[in-house]
Amino acid sequence: MGVKNLWDILESCKKTVPLHHLQNKRVCVDLSCWMVQLHNVSKSHACLKEKVYLRGLFHRLRALIALNCSVVFVSDGSIPAIKLSTYRRRLNMGKEVEHNETNSQQVTSLRRNMGSEFSIMIKEAKALGMALGISCLNGIEEAEAQCALLNFESLCDGCFSSDSDIFLFGARTVYRDICLGDGGHIVCYEMADIEKELGFGRDSLIALSLLLGSDYYPGVHGLGPESACQIVKSVGDKFILKKIASEGLEWTKKGKGGVNNLQKDDKVLQVINAYMKPKCHSADSDVVHRAFAQYQFQHIKLHQICAELFEWPPERTDGYILPSIAERDLRRFANLRTISSELGVNPPLHEIAVKCPVSEIVKNRRVQGRECYEVSWEKMDGLETSVVPADLIKSACPEKILEFEEKKAQKKKQNIQKRRPKKKESTSSVAELDEKLQNLLLDINLGDKANRNGVSFGCSTSMAATNLSTSEFSHRSDENIEPIRNISTNEAVSSSISTSSVHKVEVIDLLSPSPAPKQSHEQRLSKQNVEVINLIDLENDMSPEHKEKAKDLRLFLASIRNEMH
């Protein structure tokens, strides 16, 4: 729990920052707080049976691994003697607590029940962490106190804990919560902001815990957050603990009329001492050094744990964790190049002693509005490609981006060259269709002439193709024969011969619109007989063979029109 109402008091100092704020950082995790959070999300029997809380832990860890964020678990040790009353109260042992509180100085710390359900959950979490290369530091007493000490000594950049009393133990940067959705974010509190905006230092926060209540002290009855803050500010951060240590809490009744008379309480000094000097491993101890050593990722061990806890096959486990491991390695490579550049050493990519983990860029990708690349990896068994942020590639291996852009340009040029022959094929296909159309019209014209040789019509309307006898056609000079011109889908031309003379006839197909005909100089001088022919009416006078050809012609023309449109 921590200090009552303290999170509400610190609300104005809360910051929500993107998850990638943790890249290349080292954080300590109060493991009990994380397990409580994850357990509260999945309290049902089915969720407990399926180890949903451990799956949540797994996904949190792989997200941090991908950012090259070094994680150290810190677990609780024994229960401090000053906290036993609170601990037993939570276990519904109020009567026993009241009896023991009468002589609290003789009570020693209490070892936790390692066989409890929660203790088993902690063991599972530690095993999963070790397989992922994450060590665990077992605290002497309070885990948040050990995290705070490591942060105060600058051995880590921040602490994950939901216990607000972590500030009272000396923590400077606290991450209260973590969310992986929508790109991920963390809820962060900086002690520098608390001091600047609220005027509360570490001593003031300890004083607030005595007034409001905490795991170590019940607080002053009837005193609310606002009144407590006013009392502390009225004295000041430098003098508040000295005043409480010398006078107890009796003087606070002057600031709050409803507060009962308070005598000097020896336990107040114990509380102050418990926060200022908690029992922890020192920053330079061997235990801490071992915890902060770099541990290797145990691939086979992780397969076994995930198969046992989640019933995942190795392929599914690899699909989750290997992209994170690969991205972490790439970030470490980027850090190496950055340090090298700061030292003035910028060797080409192929001359760097450490091989770049990226083999090549496959294609551009966009993930949640962020520019990314899909890349293939060097020597990453079980992982062919994965997606990484574009800015990471620019930092780690900009040469790979240059290679990728050159390949894209070359491929685009080849595609353009491949598309050019298709235009020629399209032009030739149109020419072939035009030639087939002309041949079909010629066949129909000549066939009609052969079947109806010698027949003439006295009426002003004649067929599209008039008859010429074989002898007339063979003996007529080339000068008297008008060549057949190209006919489009909107017009057709035929010649007609009468008994007295040969006239030029323009045929208009009423089935489709045709543009206005262009007249030559000779046509303007002489009158021309324009005869309108309805092909449907002519079919009644045609032979069956000619009707069939005319039908084929119309269908063919219709298909050509559709293709052109």
Side-chain angles (χ1 to χ4, degrees):
M1 180 188 78
V3 181
K4 185 179 179 182
N5 298 123
L6 184 57
W7 287 123
D8 296 331
I9 295 173
L10 304 180
E11 180 68 21
S12 61
C13 300
K14 181 176 73 173
K15 296 185 294 186
T16 300
V17 296
L19 186 62
H20 62 77
H21 172 80
L22 295 177
Q23 63 181 343
N24 302 323
K25 291 187 176 182
R26 174 182 285 169
V27 297
C28 291
V29 174
D30 183 344
L31 187 56
S32 295
C33 287
W34 265 21
M35 297 309 294
V36 169
Q37 289 177 349
L38 295 168
H39 181 264
N40 289 339
V41 174
S42 53
K43 282 187 174 181
S44 67
H45 177 72
C47 292
L48 293 176
K49 184 178 180 181
E50 295 177 3
K51 308 289 185 180
V52 174
Y53 56 92
L54 280 179
R55 295 188 189 188
L57 177 65
F58 174 82
H59 291 303
R60 283 188 181 187
L61 293 176
R62 73 182 183 92
L64 296 178
I65 288 172
L67 294 172
N68 191 34
C69 179
S70 300
V71 179
V72 176
F73 285 158
V74 180
S75 63
D76 288 311
S78 300
I79 302 170
I82 199 171
K83 190 179 179 180
L84 285 178
S85 59
T86 302
Y87 178 74
R88 288 171 176 158
R89 189 184 307 118
R90 292 173 182 173
L91 296 178
N92 297 321
M93 298 172 62
K95 294 182 180 181
E96 182 179 350
V97 171
E98 293 175 358
H99 176 74
N100 290 336
E101 281 179 347
T102 58
N103 193 10
S104 58
Q105 289 183 341
Q106 298 178 3
V107 179
T108 59
S109 60
L110 179 66
R111 290 190 61 185
R112 298 179 186 272
N113 181 6
M114 303 307 293
S116 67
E117 180 180 352
F118 188 75
S119 296
I120 293 174
M121 292 168 58
I122 295 295
K123 289 180 182 179
E124 294 172 336
K126 289 180 180 179
L128 180 62
M130 286 299 295
L132 292 170
I134 296 172
S135 63
C136 184
L137 173 61
N138 297 317
I140 297 177
E141 290 186 346
E142 300 274 48
E144 63 265 33
Q146 185 69 63
C147 290
L149 174 66
L150 298 174
N151 183 219
F152 185 80
E153 296 290 342
S154 300
L155 292 182
C156 66
D157 298 291
C159 312
F160 274 99
S161 180
S162 57
D163 284 340
S164 58
D165 56 0
I166 191 171
F167 294 105
L168 284 62
F169 289 115
R172 302 297 300 175
T173 301
V174 177
Y175 306 115
R176 184 183 180 187
D177 202 359
I178 179 173
C179 177
L180 303 182
D182 297 328
H185 68 266
I186 51 176
V187 178
C188 176
Y189 296 81
E190 298 279 357
M191 193 62 190
D193 296 333
I194 297 172
E195 294 168 346
K196 181 180 180 181
E197 296 183 20
L198 301 178
F200 293 149
R202 183 179 178 184
D203 289 359
S204 295
L205 297 180
I206 294 175
L208 286 175
S209 73
L210 292 169
L211 297 175
L212 297 174
S214 67
D215 292 340
Y216 293 173
Y217 194 77
V220 178
H221 180 71
L223 198 62
E226 293 183 6
S227 299
C229 290
Q230 291 175 1
I231 293 172
V232 172
K233 286 183 178 180
S234 65
V235 178
D237 185 67
K238 292 183 178 180
F239 305 103
I240 186 64
L241 288 186
K242 293 180 181 179
K243 187 175 181 64
I244 293 176
S246 60
E247 301 180 19
L249 297 173
E250 182 181 2
W251 60 272
T252 59
K253 67 181 180 180
K254 298 178 182 180
K256 180 70 174 178
V259 178
N260 297 327
N261 292 335
L262 297 171
Q263 298 179 355
K264 187 174 180 180
D265 189 354
D266 292 338
K267 192 174 180 182
V268 170
L269 297 178
Q270 297 177 30
V271 171
I272 295 174
N273 189 62
Y275 282 128
M276 297 299 293
K277 298 178 181 179
K279 293 182 180 180
C280 300
H281 298 291
S282 63
D284 58 352
S285 64
D286 293 338
V287 176
V288 171
H289 289 165
R290 286 195 299 269
F292 280 86
Q294 186 171 341
Y295 289 84
Q296 296 296 321
F297 164 56
Q298 302 176 33
H299 198 178
I300 303 302
K301 183 66 175 178
L302 183 65
H303 283 172
Q304 296 173 352
I305 291 176
C306 290
E308 179 182 350
L309 297 178
F310 314 136
E311 298 182 356
W312 288 352
E315 296 78 14
R316 184 174 181 181
T317 302
D318 288 347
Y320 282 133
I321 195 61
L322 291 185
S324 298
I325 297 293
E327 185 173 338
R328 180 197 65 185
D329 293 345
L330 184 59
R331 291 186 187 276
R332 290 178 177 177
F333 184 79
N335 294 340
L336 176 65
R337 297 203 73 178
T338 300
I339 295 173
S340 177
S341 178
E342 291 174 352
L343 296 175
V345 181
N346 296 292
L349 185 64
H350 65 278
E351 293 183 3
I352 299 177
V354 179
K355 189 174 181 60
C356 177
V358 173
S359 175
E360 64 175 353
I361 299 176
V362 178
K363 59 183 176 181
N364 297 91
R365 296 286 292 272
R366 180 177 287 272
V367 179
Q368 296 177 340
R370 190 179 184 185
E371 292 293 335
C372 298
Y373 289 115
E374 182 177 343
V375 302
S376 59
W377 301 94
E378 293 277 2
K379 298 180 180 179
M380 181 62 71
D381 295 337
L383 179 65
E384 295 182 0
T385 64
S386 65
V387 179
V388 296
D391 57 353
L392 177 57
I393 298 293
K394 292 177 184 177
S395 174
C397 47
E399 298 87 347
K400 298 293 183 180
I401 298 178
L402 182 61
E403 293 176 5
F404 174 65
E405 296 297 338
E406 290 176 352
K407 289 182 180 179
K408 279 179 61 177
Q410 184 65 25
K411 187 176 180 180
K412 184 177 180 180
K413 184 177 179 181
Q414 293 175 353
N415 291 337
I416 293 175
Q417 293 175 351
K418 289 180 180 180
R419 287 197 295 267
R420 287 176 180 173
K422 294 182 179 180
K423 294 183 179 180
K424 296 181 180 179
E425 293 175 4
S426 176
T427 304
S428 61
S429 62
V430 172
E432 292 176 0
L433 289 174
D434 187 57
E435 183 179 357
K436 290 180 180 180
L437 176 60
Q438 294 185 41
N439 292 336
L440 180 58
L441 291 173
L442 182 60
D443 291 342
I444 295 175
N445 193 12
L446 294 178
D448 183 51
K449 290 176 182 179
N451 293 332
R452 307 189 61 178
N453 185 26
V455 180
S456 62
F457 295 88
C459 59
S460 61
T461 304
S462 64
M463 294 183 58
T466 57
N467 297 327
L468 286 175
S469 64
T470 306
S471 59
E472 289 176 337
F473 189 83
S474 60
H475 290 86
R476 182 163 297 179
S477 62
D478 296 335
E479 297 177 356
N480 296 330
I481 299 178
E482 183 178 356
I484 300 175
R485 63 185 178 90
N486 292 341
I487 300 175
S488 67
T489 60
N490 293 330
E491 61 181 355
V493 177
S494 64
S495 61
S496 175
I497 304 175
S498 64
T499 56
S500 59
S501 63
V502 178
H503 299 282
K504 296 179 180 178
V505 179
E506 184 176 26
V507 180
I508 298 176
D509 184 0
L510 296 180
L511 296 178
S512 61
S514 61
K518 296 181 180 180
Q519 294 183 347
S520 65
H521 178 69
E522 293 179 359
Q523 289 173 332
R524 288 196 298 270
L525 294 177
S526 61
K527 293 182 179 180
Q528 178 184 9
N529 294 332
V530 179
E531 297 178 357
V532 180
I533 300 175
N534 191 329
L535 296 179
I536 297 177
D537 294 335
L538 289 177
E539 287 184 11
N540 298 328
D541 298 330
M542 295 180 184
S543 63
E545 182 180 357
H546 190 276
K547 288 181 179 180
E548 186 66 26
K549 291 183 177 181
K551 181 180 178 181
D552 294 339
L553 175 60
R554 285 197 302 275
L555 293 174
F556 184 72
L557 291 177
S559 65
I560 294 299
R561 287 194 193 100
N562 293 334
E563 292 180 359
M564 293 180 68
H565 290 291

